[in-house]
Amino acid sequence: MDQHGSRVVTVEVHGQQYPIRSGLDPAYVAELASYVDEKMRLALRESPAGDTLKLAVLAALNIADEYFRLLDDERRQSDQVASRAAELERVLDLALGLADSRPQTAAR
């Protein structure tokens, strides 16, 4: 390991060995490589005559699609939580307003 905490992890993707310099946990890097390898295999099924570069691009597009869909889902969920929180805040403000007005009404 060098002074920055990175090390070389050798992974295999689509039958090729790749030395990857990373500060990440080697098991995690291997997991990432395995995921990319699986995406390459899926791309090979979709395009059996494709060369390695074409398969890599198809795999990258599939991974990017998954990523963007997850981002959209996260945004939607975040928007729903924000909307629900605003509604709860409105209801709470209304309830507190009613609670504050009751003693004033009774005192009149």
Side-chain angles (χ1 to χ4, degrees):
M1 201 177 315
D2 72 12
Q3 64 189 0
H4 299 295
S6 68
R7 66 185 84 175
V8 175
V9 179
T10 302
V11 298
E12 185 173 323
V13 176
H14 196 62
Q16 296 289 317
Q17 297 279 324
Y18 295 95
I20 307 294
R21 179 170 298 282
S22 176
L24 299 172
D25 178 18
Y28 180 68
V29 174
E31 185 179 352
L32 293 173
S34 176
Y35 185 79
V36 171
D37 187 58
E38 177 61 26
K39 291 298 179 182
M40 292 279 290
R41 275 185 256 156
L42 291 172
L44 181 60
R45 281 191 227 150
E46 294 174 17
S47 181
D51 63 11
T52 301
L53 179 58
K54 185 175 184 175
L55 294 175
V57 169
L58 288 173
L61 287 171
N62 287 329
I63 292 168
D65 177 52
E66 287 178 4
Y67 174 72
F68 279 90
R69 288 175 191 260
L70 286 171
L71 282 179
D72 286 343
D73 287 347
E74 185 179 309
R75 272 190 221 112
R76 241 187 320 276
Q77 288 176 1
S78 180
D79 289 347
Q80 287 174 349
V81 167
S83 176
R84 292 180 74 189
E87 181 61 18
L88 286 171
E89 181 180 21
R90 186 188 70 75
V91 168
L92 184 59
D93 286 347
L94 190 65
L96 290 174
L98 290 174
D100 289 344
S101 67
R102 284 185 191 151
Q104 292 172 357
T105 304
R108 287 184 185 177

